[in-house]
Amino acid sequence: NHDQVGNRAMGERLINLAGPDKARLAVLLTILSPFTPLLFMGEEIGEESPFLFFIQTEDAEFAKAVHCGRLKEFNRFKWGSGTPDPSKPDTFQKSRIKWENAGDRRAKGFLSLYEKLIEMRKHFVLRNREQFHCTMDINRVLKMRYGDELLILASLSGREVDIPVSEEKWRIEFDTSREEFGGRAEHVGISGGKYRMSPFAGAVFVNRAAAFP
């Protein structure tokens, strides 16, 4: 939420710090977790503008105190150099979402991913939260299951890995590294009882017997 972004010295978003591949993986883990997800404005279109700490006040002394306080706070972490003045109009303007970019291919890819994940959450996660099970394998792939209906694989590895998946039981629903979501990977589905995971990617599988549009 805004506390994780706006309270940083330079207001960097996750996508600026980790890159788009890890950002897509992070949102998969967030929305498909059994807990209440917090989504920050602009993430759904891959916004890269910072969200800086800003204030509006006519009290010059208060504005100065706020700025000095933030410089002092961040200097303890060696983050203070160049910290924007919260009372300057330019600080607010830099924090605005660039809606003019919402129609480009990259933004549409992120939005499509968010829509897909929310659809999966509504259909599977909300009614199966008590059947949630999570493990981590030796390949640094997180395996999340909701009963016998939904299987989620999240690769925290920086290399491709092959993960055993039963083709008879599961069908691939989507993968965050696909081109439609802004990724670059080409996928052939489950082959020989294994699914190839791209680095820092997430894949969602639905039980073939489960009812899903």
Side-chain angles (χ1 to χ4, degrees):
N1 62 24
H2 67 278
D3 286 327
Q4 280 74 48
V5 183
N7 284 333
R8 292 183 58 83
M10 303 305 294
E12 305 98 322
R13 293 171 176 267
L14 178 63
I15 194 170
N16 303 119
L17 298 170
D21 291 341
K22 292 179 182 177
R24 282 187 287 267
L25 178 60
V27 72
L28 177 143
L29 291 171
T30 299
I31 295 180
L32 297 186
S33 79
F35 312 106
T36 302
L38 293 176
L39 306 178
F40 187 56
M41 63 177 189
E43 289 181 345
E44 75 280 6
I45 57 172
E47 180 62 58
E48 294 187 350
S49 295
F51 187 77
L52 300 164
F53 184 88
F54 54 83
I55 60 172
Q56 182 178 9
T57 180
E58 296 179 359
D59 187 331
E61 288 301 313
F62 175 70
K64 181 179 179 180
V66 170
H67 189 205
C68 289
R70 285 181 64 78
L71 288 173
K72 182 178 180 180
E73 176 185 2
F74 290 125
N75 276 332
R76 290 186 299 168
F77 303 101
K78 299 184 180 353
W79 292 352
S81 179
T83 302
D85 186 340
S87 66
K88 297 294 185 184
D90 186 54
T91 302
F92 168 72
Q93 292 298 331
K94 287 179 179 177
S95 303
R96 301 187 68 160
I97 296 174
K98 295 183 174 63
W99 290 112
E100 63 270 22
N101 297 332
D104 65 26
R105 181 179 177 184
R106 179 177 173 280
K108 287 181 177 179
F110 268 93
L111 184 59
S112 177
L113 176 61
Y114 271 74
E115 291 173 340
K116 192 76 172 177
L117 289 169
I118 290 172
E119 180 184 20
M120 300 297 286
R121 179 176 179 82
K122 287 163 58 177
H123 193 86
F124 291 109
V125 175
L126 294 182
R127 61 189 177 88
N128 287 302
R129 279 188 288 193
E130 293 184 359
Q131 300 181 64
F132 176 74
H133 182 67
C134 182
T135 59
M136 176 79 81
D137 77 1
I138 61 173
N139 295 302
R140 291 178 52 82
V141 174
L142 193 67
K143 297 181 179 181
M144 301 160 56
R145 285 183 63 162
Y146 286 93
D148 210 32
E149 290 191 334
L150 193 68
L151 170 65
I152 303 152
L153 301 178
S155 177
L156 307 181
S157 171
R159 60 184 179 85
E160 289 186 341
V161 291
D162 291 330
I163 303 300
V165 178
S166 171
E167 190 170 8
E168 290 72 29
K169 182 175 182 178
W170 302 102
R171 73 172 186 272
I172 178 69
E173 192 63 31
F174 65 91
D175 188 306
T176 62
S177 63
R178 284 181 173 172
E179 288 187 8
E180 63 183 294
F181 303 127
R184 301 174 299 279
E186 296 182 4
H187 294 274
V188 295
I190 303 170
S191 178
K194 292 184 178 181
Y195 185 79
R196 177 156 294 182
M197 298 288 300
S198 297
F200 303 111
V204 177
F205 304 82
V206 173
N207 191 314
R208 291 185 181 278
F212 182 66

